[in-house]
Amino acid sequence: MKLMTCPINGQRPISEFFYGGELRPMPDPATADDATWADYIFNQNNVPGLKQEWWCHTPSNTWFIAERHTLTDEIQRTYLYGSQVLEEVSP
Amino acid sequence: MPLRLLKFGLSQTYPEPRMFRQPDRLKSHYDVVIIGGGGHGLAAAYYLAKDHGMTNVAVIEKGYLGGGNTGRNTTIIRSNYLTPEGVKFYDQSVTLWQDLAEDFNLNLFYSTRGHFTLAHTDSALRTMRWRAEVNKHFGVASELVGPQEIQDACPEMDLHCGGHLPVLGALYHAPGSIARHDAVAWGYGRGADQRGVEIHQQTEVTGITVKSGRVTGVQTNRGNISTNKVLCAVAGSTPRLLDMVGLRSPLYVHPLQAMVSEPMKAWLDAIIVSGSLHVYVSQTARGELVMGASLDPYELHSTRSTFDFVEGLCTHMLDLFPFLSHVKIVRQWAGMADMTPDFAPIMGKTPIDGFYLDSGWGTWGFKATPVCGKTMAATVASDRPHELIREFSLDRFERYDLVGEKGAASVGH
Amino acid sequence: MKRLPPISGEWIDRHQPVSFTFEGETIPGYQGDTVSSALWAAGRRVLGRSFKYHRPRGILSLANHDVNTLMQDGPKLNLRADVVPVEPGMDLMAIHTFGGVQGDRATVLDRLSRFLPVGFYYKAFLGKNQFPFWERVIRSITGLGAVDTTTPRLRTPKRYDFCDVLVIGSGVSGLTAAIAAAEAGADVVVVDENARAGGSGHYQRGDDGERSRQTAALVAQVQQHPRIRLYTDTTAAGYYADHWVPLVHRDYIAKMRARAVIVAAGAYEQPAVFRNNDLPGVMLASAAQRLIYRYAVQPMERAVVLTANSDGYRAALDLAAQGVTVVAVVEMRSQPVVTDPVRAVRDRGIQILSQSCLYEARPNPGGDGVASVVVCPLDADDQPQTGFTQTLACDGVVMSVGWAPTANLLYQAGVTMRFDETVQQFVPDRLPAGILACGRVNGVYDWEEKQRDGQRAGLAAAHRLGLVDTAPSLERAIAPECPSHPYPMMAHPKGKNFVDFDEDLHYEDFIHAVQEGFDNIELLKRYTTVGMGPSQGKHSNMNALRILAHLRQLPPDAIGTTTARPMFHPVPMAHLAGRGFMPERRSPLHNRHAQQGAVWMPAGQWQRPAYYHQPGLTRQACIQQEVMAVRTRVGLIDVGTLGKLELRGPDAMAFLERIYTGKFSKMKVGSSRYALMVDESGVVIDDGVVARLAADHVYFTTTTSGSARIYRELSRLITMWQMDCGIVNLTGARAAVNLAGPRSLSLLQPLTNVDLSPEAFPYLAVRQGAIAGIPALLMRVGFVGEWGYELHVPADQGQALWDALITAGKHLGIRPFGVEAQRLLRLEKGHVIVGQDTDGLTTPYDANLGWAVKMDKPFFVGQRSLQILKQRSPKQLLAGFTLPERFQGNPPQECHLVIHKGDIAGRVTSIGYSSSLKRYVGLAYLQPELTAIGTEITIRLTDGSMVTATVAPTPFYDPDNHRQATVSREEAFV
Amino acid sequence: MMRASPVQDCLSSSATRRDINGMSTVWSTPEDLQGDTLGLCDRSCLTRWGVKGAGAAAWLTALGLPVPQHPNQWCALPEDGLIARLGTTEFLIEDGWEGAIAPQLAQQMANLPSKVYPVLRQDLAIALTGCAVPDLLRQTCSVNFQALDLTEQPVILTSMIGVSVVVIPGDRAGRPFYRIWCDGTFGVYLWQTLVTIAQDLGGGPIGAAYLYDLELGR
């Protein structure tokens, strides 16, 4: 089974983790038009590649960010949200 | 002995021609380029030629015919969906399926077995009744049955499920069938080929040219093609192709795994599905049990296998059929499912003129193969969405006008 | 056929005879025998029948891919006779025969084979009306063994295991690798599917004891090494991500997590393809050697050895040493390398027929064994010169023409393989980190070189773990001879030259399939089914690939291989399932419900009382009594399965505003409010009650099914929004009950220090105090429509609370009630149950919950989507309906459809008989034009009959909430 | 006070019981000696508290308690109690059999500073003892406990047969001694499953007296 490293609890089988979806910025709801908003709600950046994703280590309820390649399943690194420069998040 | 077999025994040389030719090179222009040589793409090619007389058509396949989800699914065919648009669409598919072998002159092992979707909770029972009522409304044979009727049809099943989640009832769908998946691709491929369609295997699309909002050409690793119509029928690879034309979609790709047992003497006629236990199973003509569960829990564009899938599925299989303890699993595999937020496909026209989409097939693409080919062919030929697929258009999402198939989410497949 | 005199290193224990029956006949054997070796020793030659043509089959590999000799032993099916050890009392039948292996009535299929070419079943029986008949015929003759549907479920343990280096295969290279890694400090596990370690070093002797002595010494070294664990009888079933390898033993599965994996799995010996190469008595050289050195069984009396490598000469020497007459060695190569075994064969005076092939084997009169072989010289192009054949009498043929790498796990690990012409084999090219290969699977066949290769792999693994500083070079030495013939196949006009023994595919089948356009290796596999039988192509995939390469005139590299999926060998489902863990949750009050006769219903991982059974009463009557107890006296329900969350901190209220559709900032401390949650797309996902306990402290509930999910998601949002508050999940830590009914106040007041008077504790207020000495949170709620209190206490005191309430309520007629009664009670009040009255796409507007959505606040999850949705006219709206008071007949059920002008116009989501209102009441989604009060709607029942109902306002019961406003004097002071 | 253990219905009726901290607890059973091989003991009766929040560590330090320096680490408290750091900002504090800081902490919990939040602990708390404990763990949990350095006093938050658990591995009298906590509503499932496996391995439930002697070194 695939291993993932929780920044707090260390390396565990991926069955201990919950996938929370891609980390993606929300447009400002006050200024976004309906089409922009619907695009945010439904459409995905679904081309495979290296993505920043929310993951949760469920036994400890620890949420963190994993950089994972969605073609190879390779996890490049994991870190707590906010502990890395957020400008790295590609829009 | 069927006469057909006598021919083989009495011929001096093997009498069969090629099922599909292998063209040396791509032409510079096709009226339609179909990307994806799975069941859907080949069916669309077949119906373009057969129904619409369009034969200057190329099917471009990166691997080999039917090598994607067509050859990886668990071959269940049914039409017991939840929404009117879903039921009408899949019912048309079942109708086409029933005559397909004779149309192709190729045995698809289309076998009507009856399909039970088990309910282990009262909320699942409610959903089953909902589906049964909608199905009946459109003339599709579905009914809610109780434990006794399930036990009569499948006396081997342990309705107590090892005490965990006793079976309370089921949605019974008599037309539920299975078929030999590879043969479907070959049948459509041969039929299309015989009518003049070119099938190019081991040809990968590297780009699609769009000028002023119109498709004008396709680039491949074997050369460039000019065309004004492109049909994209590539399941898990759809996002990569959409990216080539600058479109976004709600598709998300997760692996869907399956496994098969060693053959054993026939004992299971029906197709059994349990959403709560994440099990679906049928027995092939060869005697193997073909089994699947649910989507993998996270996005991945890969067909790798996991061991926990086999462990979980075997646990639940034995809950239902404890006597299979000694039966051995031979092989497991995976496909890539392109899912949508409302569990309904995305079909038809797109904001790019001449770029047609056949996607969002999640876990239900195989059963739709004939109707999909037929309706997409009509859509491509006339540049107007076929009436059966209007509700499945890509722009329904920006309109917040989703298809209600997700209401039955707990009982998928 | 006979048992040989004792041989050094034999696996059988002659002091322990074991007998069993095969098709009714008693067969003697020894402890250590396999079924096949015992049967062979007893002179049995036909051990099974083939899949398609029912041809007689004997021993082919003796290496776990003799799938034509599958056996049934009672409930155990498809046992592989070639590897299953004999056990006393076994009662074996060959599977897949009609009347036993000797008298199989289905052998007629063999004579019809010309009518049944490759893929024949795609071309016949296809008529829509005929196929169901033919399918029944086909299903009755396919299927191998039979399941016994009375077999009880087996629960075999699974366990986790760990090591630094996992070595798969205990042949000489694997053993050497293990020692090298362990000497460097690694914790090593060696697995081998065989009963004993040693691999081919034990049996490929060439009548020379030196190799087996060296092998035995290596085995002893491994067994004694403190850092090596040796697991025999254990199969590595597959390779999964991050060095995760399930090890299958007959009694258990160990899921091994390694830090590096060395695949030293060796190679499968491959059959030569010639006519009748499947007759009993024709076997792989390694099978003959296994028979001799493991089981001391003479494989045959007069042997012809077909070879294309030194291994064949070794086999000839081994046979000769055991008294077998080696009639001839038929050498396929034009220029064989003269190695020691070749010299030894020459020295023994054994006839060598150079540059020749076996053109066919001929059956004995009984058709169950070999009588002779036809040998044919090869021309310069390796074509048989059929004009120059000679016939040699023999009763057995030994084939040693080449090998295919046991690379299944390497493929699964993502190793790129390339075809190496010098060894005529696919070898690892690019290996992912932590994956190593050595020995034959790595293309290394020479005895000394295999040890060096193992040493290299062991050190490379140790280097990867940081145990040694320098990485060894992984270059392989140049092989002294090519171990495999490039094309050991002879076409024959009469066929029966088998390539795949599982599926009865002969040479011509491949030519025909390619002719039909299946000229890609994957298509060829799918059309012919080569490699799809139980042995998964272990003896057939390589030859099929060679045929395709030959026909397409391409090198094997250009053809590529098919994907090798797990399992390596088939694994029983009981092993894979293990003990079958299914987590279940229990309310702290579980045993109290059981004592009261609860009839359970599953609710996620919980079991909840649906109702409490009363002797002599029907389910419906019990439920109605529970309902009436609440309406007229007092009832008690366990609501502890609700999610119970606590939020504290300066941002607590601001956070609630962002996650729920309602407004909470101005809520008074000590009050509660309904709360509705939608997702970002505006779909209803949960609801509950929020209680404000202090300015910066709230306690709130979620639905039962939502508790874990909502807690997890709220934790994420707090993290993402970086809000200054802490959330605690108290779902399991608190027991909760709802005490409801007009007598609830008078029941509870004597038990608590909280002033329950309506003025001090009004509807929707929240208080903290003690009940029967138990610290409790009290909330005045009205879900079921009566005066009532939700009481939350620490879980370990839940039973004490329950007992106190039941005792105090005895004289007031208290009655526990279950989920069914609660559903009915809330339906009378028109309250929506999320998940029953909503589905996966329901918006608050659809469900008539717009009142709970406050758009005039800065932000909440889903707000922007609801702004869009609010502009749209909904397709359906939730509305109440009633049936006439004296309705007779079958009432509608939940999810029956509303039909209007012949079309679907809605759906019932809830319905029940209200004793209070003396009629059926329900909720249904309806097209907006049908929702006016008083509209008559038509509901279609399962049998197609129609029931007319009338749209009615909700709540049906106590629409003005009088029951919460005052508690009657009489009830308050009973 | 009448407290009930999450597994009270699973405990042997033939056992000798004692009331400990208001909870009826199995004190000894005729099979207690199987604890040498593999014993499971219900120790839910021990008093415990939880706190979490960014200010929790500082608050505990201010109370004079030894606070584990690293996430997922534990320290002993006087009288055999313990304080375990769960992740970075949450703490589990448990008294020993003889109790010690209960009165002191109970008082303090009513009056917490900002960024310190109480966590109501209602766990099933069990201990596993005996030489076969590693075998049982290998059948139920994917963590490689043998690879841990016990001198670092590790706390493991993981999943055991599908249930989230906190595990403190250790040894007493030269034999494995593991303390495990889980949500009490999963208690019956966890207990019954572990007992089934333990019985396969020659062990089973034992009384608290066995642990009392073991933990207090008597």
Side-chain angles (χ1 to χ4, degrees), chain C residues 535-752:
Chain C
S535 81
Q536 294 282 288
K538 291 183 175 70
H539 66 262
S540 59
N541 279 348
M542 192 60 215
N543 278 342
L545 191 150
R546 290 183 199 279
I547 297 169
L548 181 58
H550 176 74
L551 292 172
R552 293 193 58 188
Q553 300 186 311
L554 289 169
D557 243 348
I559 296 295
T561 53
T562 55
T563 319
R565 298 274 183 190
M567 307 295 157
F568 181 71
H569 291 312
V571 181
M573 291 177 75
H575 275 63
L576 295 163
R579 292 179 186 269
F581 300 127
M582 285 271 257
E584 282 178 1
R585 297 183 85 169
R586 276 201 187 176
S587 155
L589 304 173
H590 189 92
N591 76 345
R592 294 298 186 266
H593 303 319
Q595 287 160 9
Q596 302 267 3
V599 175
W600 303 100
M601 63 187 286
Q605 291 178 311
W606 305 90
Q607 294 288 329
R608 297 191 70 187
Y611 66 98
Y612 297 85
H613 178 69
Q614 299 284 326
L617 288 187
T618 64
R619 173 189 175 92
Q620 272 315 313
C622 293
I623 295 167
Q624 289 296 342
Q625 282 199 357
E626 290 173 15
V627 167
M628 290 319 287
V630 175
R631 288 276 176 256
T632 61
R633 304 191 305 273
V634 61
L636 185 64
I637 182 170
D638 181 356
V639 294
T641 59
L642 293 175
K644 297 180 282 290
L645 306 179
E646 192 167 43
L647 191 64
R648 293 177 194 245
D651 286 344
M653 300 316 287
F655 180 69
L656 284 185
E657 295 268 350
R658 292 174 71 88
I659 59 168
Y660 282 117
T661 60
K663 281 191 174 176
F664 303 95
S665 316
K666 292 180 183 155
M667 252 174 96
K668 286 199 187 101
V669 170
S671 69
S672 70
R673 191 168 285 179
Y674 176 77
L676 180 70
M677 193 181 285
V678 299
D679 68 12
E680 278 196 310
S681 70
V683 169
V684 174
I685 54 169
D686 204 64
D687 69 351
V689 170
V690 168
R692 189 167 196 177
L693 305 181
D696 58 355
H697 180 195
V698 288
Y699 181 72
F700 59 106
T701 60
T702 75
T703 58
T704 296
S705 62
S707 67
R709 177 168 45 91
I710 300 291
Y711 170 63
R712 196 168 52 216
E713 175 61 6
L714 298 188
S715 303
R716 187 182 74 90
L717 293 176
I718 290 175
T719 307
M720 184 166 78
W721 293 336
Q722 316 254 298
M723 297 191 86
D724 187 3
C725 54
I727 189 166
V728 177
N729 186 355
L730 294 174
T731 303
R734 283 223 166 126
V737 296
N738 183 6
L739 181 73
R743 295 176 184 173
S744 53
L745 189 158
S746 46
L747 188 162
L748 191 58
Q749 186 64 80
L751 295 176
T752 181

Side-chain angles (χ1 to χ4, degrees), chain C residues 751-807:
Chain C
L751 295 176
T752 181
N753 57 358
V754 176
D755 180 357
L756 300 185
S757 66
E759 303 73 36
F761 195 169
Y763 184 48
L764 300 182
V766 178
R767 300 288 182 266
Q768 295 179 82
I771 302 170
I774 301 163
L777 179 74
L778 298 80
M779 298 196 269
R780 272 244 8 233
V781 294
F783 187 57
V784 298
E786 297 298 337
W787 197 282
Y789 304 88
E790 214 168 273
L791 310 171
H792 294 241
V793 299
D796 60 7
Q797 292 170 80
Q799 295 184 1
L801 174 75
W802 178 276
D803 294 346
L805 294 171
I806 292 285
T807 306

Side-chain angles (χ1 to χ4, degrees), chain A residues 1 3 32 34 40 61 63, chain C residues 242 244 257 680 712 715 864:
Chain A
M1 192 187 292
L3 292 171
D34 287 2
Y40 162 71
N61 199 42
W63 278 100
Chain C
D242 293 330
W244 181 245
R257 175 76 68 186
E680 278 196 310
R712 196 168 52 216
S715 303
R864 184 67 184 83

